[in-house]
Amino acid sequence: MPNVYRALFEHPGSALFSFTGFIARLPISMTSIGIITMLSQLGRPYWLAGSVAATFILSTALLAPQVSRVVDKHGQSQVLPWATLISATSILLLLLCTHYGLPDWTLFVFALLGGCMPNMAALVRARWTAIYRHSPKLHTAYSFESVIDEICFIVGPPISVGLSVALFPQAGPLISVVFLIIGVSFFVMQKSTEPAVTLAARGTQQSALRSVPVRILVLSLISLGTIVGAVDIISVAFAEQEGNPASASLVLSIYAIGSCLSGLAFGTLRIKSPLQQQFMLAAFFTALTTLPLLFISSVWALSVAVFFSGLFFAPTMIIAMGLVERQVPESQLTEGLTWMNTGLGVGAGLGAAIAGWIVNDFGITSSFYLTLIAGSAVFALSSLLAQKLNKDAKHEVYCS
């Protein structure tokens, strides 16, 4: 690991809150796939499994920013235990409903309440921001956390699925609840690194989403997430078409590896150009790397293509987080960062749904055009954001 990453953890308590934050954020990658595996193992129809999981994902996307908004007003240690209690209890009740064969509607109710799970990725980044605001180390910290996000989605789903298959159907979601409770409990104990609540935060009534740049960034990450969700479905469909379903996991792993490597490398760079220009450049290459997908003829070719596509995923996310840190008041930082993760999650779900429909009705080749459209949208939105921020900067100079 480069020295710049080692230097991050010189601050007292930073290693501990980062590690406990990692444990606490694993459930977000484990729960939805765990619900699907659990219900399928119990012999329930796939439409039900997918619908309950989708309810949890949608609920998380809608509730997590609201939880983060309350965190900004009252502090992490005051809010996280209650949000965790609601989420963990709801998921446990969902598991009990499946065990005792209660009506299907109960599964949807508790999946909906389970979405109160706090967005730990944003909460950890908020701590890094409080420590390294206005320091080059913040860029490195955001890069490190983007890699940790990727690792969570690499190791979390196999743990959840493996436990449900090897032990008992509810084992995967159950261990995700255990991780959530343990991770959050030890995370909130780290008082020395908890961001202070400001008077401005307590008096804030408006959402961070009222900011036009934040809205554009959310739309950009929805488009970026659409690429991720589409690649997931396309990889599975392509592998099944070639008679080797297991190779889909290889494709997705290579995509994640490309993102991890670029995220680590990007964190060591000190780029002087404005963040909006960096974002537009990263978005351009994100769009450009979707073009080779139109000419894929084998799983191996798909693996190579998604590796290069993944190289620009992490930098785009890192720059987006940096832009949010600059655009929202300190009193709304956690909420602003959470909206970024929400946008990515919504996009991934949207991409998977649309790509699945295209694959079923028009074939795999046609589904690649979805990634091209989404990539082009990321670039178009990044250009719009750059124009907006440059215009605002000129207006400030004129007024001053």
Side-chain angles (χ1 to χ4, degrees), residues 35-333:
I35 290 172
I36 292 172
T37 307
M38 172 184 67
L39 291 175
S40 63
Q41 287 288 302
L42 291 169
R44 309 302 292 273
Y46 282 107
W47 70 263
L48 177 64
S51 298
V52 174
T55 299
F56 170 78
I57 293 170
L58 181 61
S59 176
T60 302
L62 294 175
L63 293 179
Q66 310 313 316
V67 172
S68 293
R69 187 178 179 187
V70 179
V71 166
D72 281 329
K73 290 184 177 182
H74 301 286
Q76 295 182 354
S77 59
Q78 295 298 313
V79 177
L80 293 188
W82 294 104
T84 300
L85 177 64
I86 295 171
S87 179
T89 302
S90 300
I91 296 172
L92 289 174
L93 289 172
L94 169 62
L95 304 187
L96 288 174
C97 289
T98 64
H99 179 74
Y100 290 106
L102 297 184
D104 290 347
W105 64 266
T106 61
L107 307 183
F108 290 96
V109 169
F110 292 122
L112 186 69
L113 294 174
C116 194
M117 187 179 294
N119 189 295
M120 294 306 301
L123 294 161
V124 172
R125 285 179 172 91
R127 293 204 177 203
W128 284 121
T129 305
I131 295 171
Y132 292 127
R133 182 177 277 110
H134 307 309
S135 166
K137 287 185 178 180
L138 184 58
H139 167 74
T140 305
Y142 282 176
S143 300
F144 177 76
E145 291 304 324
S146 292
V147 173
I148 296 299
D149 287 338
E150 291 286 355
I151 293 174
C152 284
F153 281 91
I154 291 173
V155 304
I159 292 174
S160 186
V161 172
L163 289 173
S164 289
V165 172
L167 299 180
F168 53 92
Q170 293 85 359
L174 179 60
I175 197 64
S176 74
V177 172
V178 173
F179 282 153
L180 180 65
I181 294 172
I182 292 175
V184 170
S185 297
F186 282 98
F187 183 80
V188 298
M189 288 179 187
Q190 316 309 310
K191 302 288 188 181
S192 63
T193 54
E194 181 178 351
V197 178
T198 64
L199 290 176
R202 290 195 177 100
T204 299
Q205 299 297 324
Q206 297 181 343
S207 169
L209 202 58
R210 291 180 65 89
S211 164
V212 174
V214 172
R215 292 180 192 173
I216 297 173
L217 282 167
V218 171
L219 291 174
S220 299
L221 292 193
I222 288 175
S223 301
L224 185 66
T226 300
I227 298 174
V228 176
V231 167
D232 286 350
I233 296 298
I234 291 168
S235 299
V236 173
F238 215 104
E240 289 181 349
Q241 179 179 276
E242 292 204 344
N244 186 15
S247 62
S249 61
L250 173 65
V251 176
L252 298 178
S253 296
I254 290 175
Y255 186 73
I257 289 170
S259 181
C260 286
L261 291 175
S262 65
L264 287 172
F266 192 69
T268 66
L269 302 178
R270 295 292 179 261
I271 304 173
K272 298 294 180 66
S273 60
L275 282 177
Q276 59 265 33
Q277 292 183 10
Q278 295 180 39
F279 188 62
M280 191 163 61
L281 186 62
F284 171 75
F285 282 107
T286 295
L288 188 65
T289 53
T290 61
L291 283 173
L293 295 173
L294 302 178
F295 308 100
I296 296 303
S297 59
S298 68
V299 169
W300 294 109
L302 180 61
S303 300
V304 173
V306 299
F307 174 79
F308 285 102
S309 182
L311 289 177
F312 296 98
F313 175 80
T316 306
M317 275 294 297
I318 294 163
I319 298 167
M321 295 296 182
L323 282 165
V324 169
E325 190 266 332
R326 302 277 182 89
Q327 292 303 310
V328 301
E330 182 181 343
S331 59
Q332 294 180 308
L333 179 62

